[in-house]
Amino acid sequence: MKIRNIDRALFTGLFVGIIIFISEFFFPDTNSFISIFIGALAALIGFLIGDKILPKEDDKNQR
């Protein structure tokens, strides 16, 4: 089994964690639906940023 997008997944998780921490630190009384929406939006943005920043590996180089 080959694990391919582990670096982008770790970057996305770190990005979501930072965004959730900042939003809960500055706005502690937000509704849970808004917090879920912020987390989902941060995951989408983090994946897109990680996809642009981190290079994709070719299948030929993994052997």
Side-chain angles (χ1 to χ4, degrees):
M1 182 171 99
K2 295 181 181 179
I3 299 174
R4 293 188 183 172
N5 297 323
I6 193 73
D7 50 351
R8 280 183 232 121
L10 289 173
F11 178 80
T12 303
L14 183 67
F15 186 79
V16 170
I18 290 170
I19 296 298
I20 291 292
F21 176 74
I22 289 171
S23 69
E24 289 294 324
F25 186 74
F26 287 116
F27 308 107
D29 295 332
T30 56
N31 193 355
S32 62
F33 293 114
I34 294 173
S35 295
I36 292 170
F37 178 73
I38 290 171
L41 190 63
L44 178 67
I45 292 170
F47 175 76
L48 293 175
I49 291 172
D51 193 37
K52 297 292 181 186
I53 291 176
L54 301 170
K56 295 181 181 178
E57 295 180 7
D58 294 336
D59 290 335
K60 297 176 186 175
N61 294 337
Q62 292 183 0
R63 291 185 184 182

